[in-house]
């Protein structure tokens, strides 16, 4: 995982969590750290920030639950994108 990618995702999510400490494996949805509306905001931010397209099949909470999940999703999309 790219350190810059992790830092970028952590910073964005960290701006929106209600918890005092965010770890990279903190489940932001299960713990109520963010509102459900944030899920939409997060998907849109991922698309704009990293230039990836989130397909309807990608709209699985498992792709966006934690900092590490978002990073894995973005890296997977980048790998799958045609050159």
């Amino acid at each position: 995982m790219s350190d810059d990618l992790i830092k970028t995702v952590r910073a964005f999510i960290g701006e929106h969590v209600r918890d005092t400490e965010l770890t990279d494996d903190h489940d932001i949805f299960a713990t109520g750290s963010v509102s459900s509306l944030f899920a939409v905001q997060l998907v849109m931010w991922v698309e704009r920030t990293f230039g990836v397209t989130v397909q309807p099949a990608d709209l699985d909470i498992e792709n966006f639950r934690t900092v590490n999940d978002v990073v894995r999703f973005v890296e997977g999309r980048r790998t799958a994108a045609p050159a």
Side-chain angles (χ1 to χ4, degrees), residues 12-13 28-29 38-46 64 70:
F12 179 76
I13 293 176
I28 61 173
F29 295 104
F38 179 71
V40 175
Q41 189 177 4
L42 179 59
V43 168
M44 292 172 53
W45 177 82
V46 164
F64 302 98
V70 174

Side-chain angles (χ1 to χ4, degrees), residues 9-80:
V9 172
R10 187 185 305 129
F12 179 76
I13 293 176
E15 291 175 7
H16 296 87
V17 298
R18 289 185 279 236
D19 299 295
T20 57
E21 187 174 333
L22 173 70
T23 65
D24 293 346
D25 290 316
H26 178 87
D27 186 334
I28 61 173
F29 295 104
T31 59
S33 300
V34 294
S35 69
S36 58
L37 182 58
F38 179 71
V40 175
Q41 189 177 4
L42 179 59
V43 168
M44 292 172 53
W45 177 82
V46 164
E47 287 186 317
R48 279 192 321 269
T49 303
F50 301 110
V52 299
T53 301
V54 178
Q55 301 292 331
D58 299 327
L59 295 175
D60 182 339
I61 195 71
E62 298 303 320
N63 290 327
F64 302 98
R65 218 177 257 292
T66 69
V67 169
N68 285 332
D69 291 337
V70 174
V71 169
R72 275 190 290 275
F73 175 77
V74 170
E75 286 180 334
R77 278 287 156 247
R78 286 179 170 173
T79 302

